[in-house]
Amino acid sequence: MIRLNDIIDKINMYNPDADMGLIQKAYVFSAKIHQGQVRLSGEPYLVHPLEVAGILADLKLDVGTIATGLLHDTVEDTYTTIEEIDKEFGKEINFLVDGVTKISKIKFESREEQQAENFRKMLIAMAKDIRVILIKLADRLHNMRTLEYHSTKRQKEIAQETLDIYAPLANRLGIGWVKDELEDLSFRFLDTEVYYDLAKKVAKEREERNAYTNEVKSIISKKLAEHNLNARVKGRPKHLYSIYEKMKNQNIDFSQVYDLTAFRIILDDVRACYETLGMIHALWTPVPGRFKDYIAMPKANMYQSLHTIVIGPRGERVEIQIRTEEMHRIAEEGIAAHWKYKEGKDVAEKTDRGFAWLRQLLEWQQDMKDPREFLDSVRVDLFPEEVYVFTPKGEVKEFPRGATPVDFAYGIHTDVGHKCTGAKVNGKMVPLKYQLRNGDTVRILTSSNQHPSVDWLNIVKTSRAKAKIRQWVKSNERQRSILLGSDTCEREFKKYKLNFSKLAKSGELKKVAGEFSLVDVDDLLAGVGYGKVSVNQIINKLVPQENVARGSTAKSIQEKVTKKTEHKERSGVKVRGIDNIMVRYGKCCNPLPGDHIVGYITRGRGVTVHASDCHSILQDTSERMIDVEWDLDDISTHLVTIKVVCDNKKGLLAAMSSSIASSEANITNAHVKTAQDGTAVNIFEIEVSDLKHLQNIMDSLKTIKGVIKVERLKQSST
């Protein structure tokens, strides 16, 4: 158990001028308030705030933060009020205690949407003062160290939450040792058997591994001395979770993992780092493609180091990291390394830059109304595998692995992204789906006539690009639908002598919108444009029923289509960005699942789906075109017409019918006639599930002796 004097000793090592009176005062207050409380382990509750304060001292944080560590549970778990904290300790500590208390009250639910919304709140809280999340990380770390006292179910819940959220946060903030320990502790409780089995194997090889580590360190130290380079050489065993992840990702067993130790060479300056790198590569053969220069291009969490993997003694792969003393401190302490502990709340300029990713994330989330969409974007930013590319002016830009020129364009400015038509990478034209590589120089080509495509969502990786594209697509489609709905209503209203403009101005249409649980007239018109609301439904609200009956003796096409589609639970097609829209298939081309398709907004009748090469829409470039895709979960059948030309021989019709039936297809209509050249032309209308099913049927028919030609007819036979 840590004692108050241990904490004070730690602080004195890096900040001898610290106000220890504040630490002692916070300790006395916490001890008094938590008196009589015990943890699940049976220990006095005071042990927990002491341990949290000790972890914060290990991070070399300011006195106010460490005092908050001692006080962080006083408001949440006792009768102490935030006003009392303010009176006793001042506004700064009051702010930090209040921030940590609010985060602690966030409970992560199993439902993703709730979890996403709660996580959004936590990020907003930590954006106000980074120390809030540093205290929370220290709190979580000590809770994980004592997790065995919880039930098995609760252990797994807390461990999973830690692995999903808190360990990646520690990594994003650059606090490597906290990230490693959180991962190992989570691993221990999530997969206990595998954890202890791996720990046993690592321990068994420890003696041999230590001998190898010392051998490598000795060789490196000797070479450094020969080159008059002053350095410290350290060999650190990799933590269990990283070994487990490597085994899982590379599908190998423990015996195939050779680089169980990472070596660090810590030098005086950057020049010595590069000189040492050259020495290491001359000493041992480097593994191609495994060198990374994070000194020239630091990670977003401010991490800097040279990374290389070489073939060392006995043919084993050796991972080596080369850095300066300052870089090593930042690698261990991350964002906390830049904290001006003597000035409390001030943050160094480097910290401000390193924390920019969070501010950007919070800016982008304002465009994301769906919390689940926000959580997806957060996961991208919490688990970055960076690539570093250059602008034409030589500025370095960082993107997640797999990012494309479209991501780059939106990274420059929203308008550049919207107008992006192409890109040149290293002076050569590349497609927009090209995946950026380290060191690429990217130049974006734009056009005032260009606009985003919904297909871009399939190729971009960054939160910013996805948010901006979705925002544009939704806004643009809504405007198109409002115009379409307005045009449709105005035309149909005339049949009943209704003045569309007057009804809109008088507020009558707004009342109708309210009856459909819509906010305003634009929502109502958009609903008509999308096909969610029919014009007749609106007219029924405006005109007495008997007048409607007299005004229209025949049902509108829209009503007929609605009747035909009412009994179906699924349409078989998804309209991107729109739910519950009326969908029908063009009779001109009868598209099947597997065909490339496009949607066409039909006035008052939802969306008609056509094959993308259909002659009916090939020349159409209007704004009525909309992106659609097949619903892969749909299991309904589709009618398709095929034409089979064969010899006019007895028994062939029966053979063809049998072939179709054996391919698990139903014939709904058949027409046979004899051509002038003596061949027979057979037209079959059959039910198939998709394009592949149809192809199998046609291939089967072609194997029948006497069959000359089999083709699909796009035009319906009925």
Side-chain angles (χ1 to χ4, degrees):
M1 169 181 160
I2 194 170
R3 299 171 304 169
L4 179 64
N5 286 341
D6 298 326
I7 296 169
I8 290 174
D9 289 344
K10 287 182 180 183
I11 298 170
N12 273 323
M13 289 179 67
Y14 66 88
N15 187 12
D17 299 326
D19 180 6
M20 298 305 176
L22 180 61
I23 299 293
Q24 290 170 335
K25 183 180 178 181
Y27 169 75
V28 171
F29 187 92
S30 183
K32 180 181 176 183
I33 293 299
H34 288 299
Q35 188 173 14
Q37 291 183 327
V38 294
R39 306 192 82 216
L40 290 176
S41 62
E43 294 176 310
Y45 195 89
L46 185 62
V47 170
H48 175 62
L50 276 168
E51 292 286 354
V52 170
I55 293 168
L56 295 170
D58 289 335
L59 289 169
K60 299 182 177 63
L61 290 169
D62 60 291
V63 169
T65 306
I66 296 169
T68 304
L70 289 165
L71 299 166
H72 77 278
D73 276 340
T74 53
V75 174
E76 182 183 357
D77 292 335
T78 75
Y79 292 110
T80 305
T81 64
I82 201 68
E83 288 75 23
E84 288 179 74
I85 298 294
D86 187 38
K87 182 180 177 182
E88 291 290 330
F89 297 96
K91 294 193 179 301
E92 180 186 350
I93 292 178
N94 171 68
F95 175 82
L96 293 173
V97 171
D98 188 40
V100 178
T101 301
K102 285 178 179 176
I103 290 181
S104 296
K105 287 180 179 177
I106 295 171
K107 303 300 180 187
F108 287 89
E109 306 291 342
S110 58
R111 287 179 296 118
E112 188 181 24
E113 186 168 342
Q114 185 65 43
Q115 185 191 44
E117 189 56 41
N118 286 337
F119 191 60
R120 188 201 301 253
K121 291 175 186 174
M122 187 174 76
L123 285 180
I124 291 170
M126 67 186 264
K128 293 178 181 176
D129 194 318
I130 185 61
R131 292 178 292 175
V132 170
I133 200 60
L134 294 176
I135 297 164
K136 185 59 186 175
L137 281 173
D139 175 46
R140 176 52 61 107
L141 180 55
H142 183 248
N143 283 333
M144 287 298 295
R145 288 172 178 175
T146 56
L147 195 58
E148 67 266 26
Y149 299 103
H150 285 274
S151 66
T152 303
K153 180 176 181 292
R154 190 68 183 131
Q155 285 173 359
K156 290 190 179 297
E157 288 173 351
I158 295 172
Q160 191 63 58
E161 178 183 296
T162 301
L163 196 61
D164 287 346
I165 301 296
Y166 290 102
L169 264 177
N171 181 53
R172 207 64 169 89
L173 297 174
I175 314 171
W177 69 271
V178 173
K179 187 266 297 185
D180 291 352
E181 189 173 348
L182 287 176
E183 286 181 342
D184 276 357
L185 288 167
S186 299
F187 177 27
R188 173 184 159 193
F189 290 101
L190 286 171
D191 204 336
T192 305
E193 189 176 332
V194 174
Y195 172 87
Y196 282 109
D197 179 61
L198 187 57
K200 190 176 178 181
K201 288 175 179 175
V202 171
K204 189 176 179 180
E205 291 195 1
R206 183 167 291 140
E207 190 173 327
E208 183 182 341
R209 180 55 48 184
N210 285 343
Y212 185 80
T213 300
N214 290 332
E215 180 185 349
V216 172
K217 284 171 63 177
S218 176
I219 295 171
I220 294 174
S221 297
K222 186 179 177 182
K223 281 291 179 183
L224 286 166
E226 288 176 8
H227 286 76
N228 296 317
L229 290 165
N230 180 37
R232 289 191 295 134
V233 183
K234 301 173 70 175
R236 182 184 65 89
K238 290 191 173 180
H239 66 297
L240 291 178
Y241 186 72
S242 67
I243 297 171
Y244 168 72
E245 282 286 278
K246 183 166 190 174
M247 291 165 59
K248 188 172 67 172
N249 294 336
Q250 297 184 13
N251 196 27
I252 58 177
D253 58 37
F254 180 73
S255 63
Q256 295 172 288
V257 181
Y258 297 108
D259 50 341
L260 294 174
T261 305
F263 293 88
R264 290 170 180 165
I265 305 174
I266 303 165
L267 301 116
D268 295 330
D269 54 44
V270 173
R271 180 197 60 78
C273 290
Y274 285 100
E275 189 176 341
T276 300
L277 176 69
M279 180 202 80
I280 292 294
H281 283 178
L283 179 63
W284 292 308
T285 305
V287 176
R290 299 308 301 269
F291 166 66
K292 293 178 181 177
D293 187 345
Y294 293 120
I295 292 180
M297 292 180 285
K299 290 187 177 184
N301 60 14
M302 302 169 293
Y303 176 89
Q304 286 184 289
S305 196
L306 297 174
H307 285 201
T308 188
I309 294 179
V310 296
I311 306 300
R314 305 175 211 166
E316 287 195 21
R317 291 191 173 202
V318 177
E319 180 183 327
I320 298 174
Q321 300 165 2
I322 306 168
R323 58 179 71 144
T324 66
E325 288 284 358
E326 175 66 9
M327 291 172 192
H328 182 62
R329 190 169 71 88
I330 294 168
E332 292 296 302
E333 300 167 16
I335 204 162
H338 291 292
W339 199 264
K340 292 184 178 178
Y341 52 79
K342 292 182 182 178
E343 299 174 31
K345 59 188 176 182
D346 294 331
V347 181
E349 184 184 348
K350 281 187 179 180
T351 307
D352 205 41
R353 290 202 305 269
F355 206 40
W357 66 271
L358 174 61
R359 294 194 182 88
Q360 288 180 335
L361 190 60
L362 292 170
E363 287 175 16
W364 303 336
Q365 64 90 16
Q366 293 172 7
D367 297 326
M368 301 180 195
K369 304 304 180 187
D370 184 349
R372 287 166 295 186
E373 183 182 317
F374 173 68
L375 187 59
D376 287 340
S377 70
V378 166
R379 284 174 178 148
V380 171
D381 286 293
L382 282 183
F383 294 91
E385 286 186 50
E386 303 92 344
V387 291
Y388 299 90
V389 297
F390 296 93
T391 67
K393 293 182 179 180
E395 182 184 352
V396 178
K397 295 281 186 181
E398 176 198 359
F399 294 95
R401 193 163 298 281
T404 64
V406 181
D407 290 293
F408 185 94
Y410 279 102
I412 296 172
H413 194 278
T414 300
D415 285 344
V416 176
H418 284 350
K419 296 174 182 178
C420 173
T421 56
K424 283 188 174 182
V425 173
N426 305 324
K428 296 180 180 179
M429 287 295 299
V430 296
L432 290 180
K433 64 181 180 181
Y434 169 85
Q435 293 190 358
L436 300 176
R437 300 171 186 168
N438 277 320
D440 281 346
T441 298
V442 185
R443 180 173 168 239
I444 299 298
L445 308 177
T446 61
S447 168
S448 57
N449 297 322
Q450 176 70 327
H451 58 73
S453 164
V454 73
D455 291 330
W456 287 2
L457 290 171
N458 296 324
I459 63 171
V460 295
K461 291 291 181 184
T462 59
S463 308
R464 178 181 179 82
K466 287 183 178 180
K468 295 299 181 184
I469 293 166
R470 284 194 182 106
Q471 187 182 14
W472 189 92
V473 169
K474 287 177 182 177
S475 174
N476 186 62
E477 288 185 350
R478 176 175 166 80
Q479 289 305 313
R480 285 195 304 167
S481 296
I482 289 172
L483 290 171
L484 183 57
S486 176
D487 180 46
T488 304
C489 286
E490 198 165 358
R491 182 164 38 79
E492 292 296 317
F493 278 17
K494 287 178 182 177
K495 296 178 182 178
Y496 299 91
K497 298 183 179 178
L498 295 172
N499 189 309
F500 175 77
S501 298
K502 283 185 178 180
L503 288 168
K505 289 177 182 177
S506 68
E508 286 298 311
L509 282 182
K510 187 172 183 179
K511 289 180 185 177
V512 174
E515 292 184 47
F516 287 102
S517 300
L518 300 170
V519 176
D520 53 28
V521 176
D522 278 355
D523 283 348
L524 183 66
L525 297 176
V528 174
Y530 284 143
K532 291 182 177 181
V533 180
S534 73
V535 182
N536 281 351
Q537 286 176 301
I538 298 173
I539 292 171
N540 284 334
K541 303 284 186 184
L542 295 169
V543 181
Q545 195 63 39
E546 59 273 16
N547 292 355
V548 174
R550 285 198 299 271
S552 179
T553 56
K555 291 182 178 179
S556 69
I557 298 174
Q558 181 178 352
E559 284 180 301
K560 291 177 183 177
V561 172
T562 304
K563 289 285 185 184
K564 284 182 180 180
T565 58
E566 270 177 352
H567 70 284
K568 291 186 179 180
E569 292 183 5
R570 312 182 71 97
S571 67
V573 167
K574 294 177 182 177
V575 181
R576 295 184 190 175
I578 308 172
D579 298 321
N580 304 322
I581 192 166
M582 192 189 307
V583 172
R584 66 192 188 103
Y585 299 101
K587 290 292 183 183
C588 46
C589 55
N590 285 329
L592 287 177
D595 284 329
H596 293 293
I597 52 175
V598 66
Y600 187 84
I601 299 175
T602 310
R603 281 189 168 88
R605 289 184 283 151
V607 171
T608 302
V609 178
H610 293 269
S612 57
D613 59 352
C614 176
H615 62 84
S616 299
I617 51 93
L618 275 177
Q619 303 303 317
D620 199 312
T621 58
S622 73
E623 291 188 342
R624 293 178 184 272
M625 307 299 288
I626 192 168
D627 290 313
V628 295
E629 60 188 20
W630 291 107
D631 183 352
L632 299 179
D633 295 327
D634 182 61
I635 55 173
S636 58
T637 57
H638 301 259
L639 286 176
V640 65
T641 305
I642 59 173
K643 175 182 176 182
V644 184
V645 179
C646 64
D647 295 332
N648 189 12
K649 289 183 179 179
K650 194 175 185 180
L652 266 181
L653 180 59
M656 289 186 289
S657 300
S658 176
S659 175
I660 293 171
S662 64
S663 298
E664 298 184 359
N666 182 43
I667 300 174
T668 60
N669 194 6
H671 181 71
V672 182
K673 65 178 181 180
T674 304
Q676 291 183 347
D677 61 0
T679 59
V681 179
N682 308 268
I683 307 295
F684 296 105
E685 189 177 74
I686 58 178
E687 291 178 338
V688 299
S689 57
D690 54 29
L691 189 61
K692 186 177 179 182
H693 188 196
L694 173 63
Q695 193 60 53
N696 289 340
I697 294 167
M698 294 172 66
D699 289 343
S700 178
L701 288 169
K702 289 174 183 176
T703 63
I704 299 173
K705 189 176 180 179
V707 170
I708 301 168
K709 181 181 179 183
V710 182
E711 64 178 319
R712 172 185 173 188
L713 298 181
K714 291 293 184 76
Q715 180 69 43
S716 175
S717 61
T718 57

